[in-house]
Amino acid sequence: MAKITYITKAGEEIQLEANSGSLMELAVKHKVAGIDGDCGGVCSCATCHVHVAPEFYQKLDAPTEIESDMLEFDDNETEYSRLCCQIPISAAVDGITVSVAN
């Protein structure tokens, strides 16, 4: 079971647990404010943009070219930006913290 912490733009910390799916699916299921997942997780809308805590960013697989292209158009992009639809839930993300970007 992976524990994930979401920090909303309002500063609310939401801690959730899951075994499968993506960070976006978990956030949408629990109505985390600011993560809409409009495209359903196919990396085509950027409504699940998050900033990954720096200590976890390097533990993730690198973003694909498509994901990088989607993020390039977002005003809130940082070096720690990811689309959380592209982050699968696994033991590798246990303890991760992500901040909602939009």
Side-chain angles (χ1 to χ4, degrees), residues 27-50:
V28 168
K29 178 179 178 182
H30 292 277
K31 298 179 175 36
V32 174
I35 299 181
D36 299 328
D38 289 346
C39 72
V42 297
C43 197
S44 66
C45 72
T47 61
C48 66
H49 180 190
V50 295

Side-chain angles (χ1 to χ4, degrees), residues 16-101:
L16 301 171
E17 295 183 356
N19 290 320
S20 62
S22 70
L23 267 65
M24 182 276 299
E25 291 169 325
L26 182 64
V28 168
K29 178 179 178 182
H30 292 277
K31 298 179 175 36
V32 174
I35 299 181
D36 299 328
D38 289 346
C39 72
V42 297
C43 197
S44 66
C45 72
T47 61
C48 66
H49 180 190
V50 295
H51 298 139
V52 176
E55 62 271 17
F56 277 94
Y57 190 84
Q58 296 303 321
K59 295 179 182 181
L60 302 175
D61 290 336
T64 63
E65 185 176 344
I66 293 169
E67 181 181 357
S68 294
D69 289 347
M70 290 299 302
L71 287 166
E72 193 175 294
F73 295 106
D74 194 301
D75 291 338
N76 295 319
E77 181 190 17
T78 72
E79 62 186 304
Y80 302 110
S81 287
R82 291 297 304 267
L83 298 180
C84 66
C85 68
Q86 300 301 297
I87 304 174
I89 294 172
S90 69
V93 298
D94 185 31
I96 195 171
T97 297
V98 296
S99 298
V100 177

